[in-house]
Amino acid sequence: MPVCALTSVLLRTLDALIPSEKAVMYVDTEIKGFVLEHRSSGSGTFLFRYRSREGKQCRIRIGKLYEMTLREAQTKAFLLRDCLDAGGDPKLKQHLLDTVPTLQQFAAEYYMPYAKSRKRSWSTDEALLRVHLLPRFGDTKIDRIVRSEVSSMHIESRKQYAAGTCNRILILFRYMLNCAIRWEMLPAGSNPCVGVELFPDNGARERYLTQQEARLLLNELDANPNTQVAQIIKLLLYTGARKREILDARWEHVDFARRLLTVPLSKSGKPRHIPLSDVAMQLLRDLPHLEGVPWVFVNPKTGKPPVSFFHAWDSIRAKVGLSGVRLHDLRHSFASFLVNAGCSLYEVQALLGHHDPKVTMRYAHLAPGALIAAANTVGMAVRGQERRERRERRERQN
């Protein structure tokens, strides 16, 4: 009986083998119990052979040769081997393997319920799935998705979308399949997204308002008839808060005594406290506080916080020549004004509520003066040492 590792090279040579009168069993040297039965007709079957607890020789049919890839067969054999080594019943495991969900089923029954309970950005995941992943992989079982197909999708998407969008699709795909591995629906180390490299993203936008642009914007907001939208935009600029942090604000979270706006659940998953400047405090004091309405800003038609005000913002920014400025750029501008005023990156991190200081480092280049001053300390120290040495030499000569 031939003994060799089952590889794609071997499978390519099977077509050229002269059929023998009896079936030939090719035994894998990597996964114990994994074999290929090659019959005289030229057909073949992947099998998993093992001994039961009673010592009885058993075998499980994994699938037909040429109807499944070697990688798919190895994945199932690995799971059966792992189940046997753990003391489980491989036949029960095989039943579970035969019911491996498609990506569509996995997303609907497992991943999205999980994401909705743990991720505030679950709606973004849902959109990326619906638009990009499910049309291509929705009908494919998750254990049959291979790296070459993932790589092809990633490369083809770049023809239509920006690098950042393509990378977000791949990152979500990788995260989902890692969840499947963690939930023991796929074997460890079988994520086909691993090894597919992200695109370099050198086009990430960073737009900061100048002081003159900020004055133009504030002047327009003062005169704009849509006072609520104007107040929201001002508060975004005054606090550097994220849009939903302001739109979802409740009066109970505004501490006028301590000058803080508390966000019960921030993007980092933890509460954060936004310090309120004098102008922010005055703006909040001037807002109408309607009885029985807990929200700071409320849509009078629904009685709930505004969902979006893009069209109003689009009109405002067009009037002052800032058509390319996004609402989130007001947060970048808040950080820019802080850095240019001499605040440290630690202070910027605290005010913006960044969990990771690396995120704040994007603003380091806005304060070259502070960095140059820090670099000058080296030159001053060296030159100071030279002056001391010259003074000591003169004293010894005298």
Side-chain angles (χ1 to χ4, degrees), residues 48 50 52-53 58 60 79-96:
F48 179 72
Y50 68 100
S52 66
R53 294 179 182 178
C58 303
I60 294 175
L79 287 170
L80 294 170
R81 181 78 252 173
D82 188 57
C83 176
L84 183 65
D85 292 342
D89 183 356
K91 288 187 177 180
L92 177 60
K93 190 71 173 181
Q94 175 64 14
H95 172 71
L96 296 176

Side-chain angles (χ1 to χ4, degrees), residues 69-114:
T69 66
L70 174 62
R71 183 182 179 280
E72 292 167 351
Q74 287 175 322
T75 297
K76 289 192 174 184
F78 178 86
L79 287 170
L80 294 170
R81 181 78 252 173
D82 188 57
C83 176
L84 183 65
D85 292 342
D89 183 356
K91 288 187 177 180
L92 177 60
K93 190 71 173 181
Q94 175 64 14
H95 172 71
L96 296 176
L97 290 175
D98 290 339
T99 57
V100 171
T102 63
L103 185 67
Q104 174 81 47
Q105 294 168 333
F106 176 75
E109 299 174 17
Y110 298 94
Y111 179 72
M112 285 311 303
Y114 170 80

Side-chain angles (χ1 to χ4, degrees), residues 28-258:
D28 189 30
T29 57
E30 296 180 0
I31 304 176
K32 185 179 179 181
F34 180 39
V35 300
L36 169 63
E37 181 183 48
H38 188 234
R39 291 180 285 276
S40 59
S41 63
S43 62
T45 303
F46 292 109
L47 303 169
F48 179 72
R49 303 190 308 178
Y50 68 100
R51 286 192 178 276
S52 66
R53 294 179 182 178
E54 296 77 22
K56 181 181 177 181
Q57 182 73 37
C58 303
R59 73 179 198 171
I60 294 175
R61 179 181 177 279
I62 293 176
K64 291 183 178 181
L65 179 64
Y66 308 126
E67 289 186 2
M68 65 190 311
T69 66
L70 174 62
R71 183 182 179 280
E72 292 167 351
Q74 287 175 322
T75 297
K76 289 192 174 184
F78 178 86
L79 287 170
L80 294 170
R81 181 78 252 173
D82 188 57
C83 176
L84 183 65
D85 292 342
D89 183 356
K91 288 187 177 180
L92 177 60
K93 190 71 173 181
Q94 175 64 14
H95 172 71
L96 296 176
L97 290 175
D98 290 339
T99 57
V100 171
T102 63
L103 185 67
Q104 174 81 47
Q105 294 168 333
F106 176 75
E109 299 174 17
Y110 298 94
Y111 179 72
M112 285 311 303
Y114 170 80
K116 288 180 180 180
S117 67
R118 289 168 174 81
K119 297 179 68 176
R120 298 188 68 190
S121 60
W122 65 264
S123 59
T124 301
D125 290 3
E126 187 176 52
L128 291 176
L129 270 166
R130 183 180 67 256
V131 176
H132 302 285
L133 293 176
L134 294 184
R136 182 154 186 160
F137 297 103
D139 295 331
T140 306
K141 289 189 175 184
I142 59 174
D143 64 337
R144 297 195 176 187
I145 299 171
V146 296
R147 182 176 295 121
S148 60
E149 295 174 349
V150 175
S151 180
S152 295
M153 175 206 70
H154 191 49
I155 293 171
E156 291 171 13
S157 66
R158 186 66 183 90
K159 298 175 183 178
Q160 187 174 358
Y161 301 100
T165 300
C166 300
N167 290 341
R168 281 191 290 274
I169 297 168
L170 179 61
I171 290 169
L172 171 61
F173 206 4
R174 183 171 59 200
Y175 178 74
M176 289 179 64
L177 295 179
N178 277 338
C179 287
I181 292 172
R182 192 165 64 249
W183 300 333
E184 299 184 348
M185 303 176 75
L186 291 175
S190 66
N191 193 327
C193 296
V194 174
V196 180
E197 296 184 1
L198 299 175
F199 292 120
D201 188 7
N202 300 320
R205 285 195 43 187
E206 287 188 357
R207 177 66 162 89
Y208 310 96
L209 295 180
T210 64
Q211 290 187 358
Q212 181 180 2
E213 288 174 333
R215 283 195 296 270
L216 288 173
L217 177 59
L218 289 173
N219 289 339
E220 171 58 29
L221 294 175
D222 288 338
N224 196 280
N226 193 335
T227 55
Q228 184 178 82
V229 169
Q231 291 160 339
I232 293 172
I233 296 172
K234 285 181 182 179
L235 204 54
L236 289 171
L237 183 59
Y238 292 155
T239 62
R242 300 177 180 91
K243 183 178 70 172
R244 288 301 339 161
E245 290 176 338
I246 295 300
L247 294 183
D248 294 336
R250 302 168 68 102
W251 285 115
E252 62 190 270
H253 299 144
V254 180
D255 189 334
F256 286 98
R258 298 171 59 202

Side-chain angles (χ1 to χ4, degrees), residues 332-347:
H332 292 320
S333 300
F334 177 81
S336 169
F337 294 140
L338 290 173
V339 172
N340 288 324
C343 296
S344 68
L345 291 179
Y346 173 79
E347 292 171 314

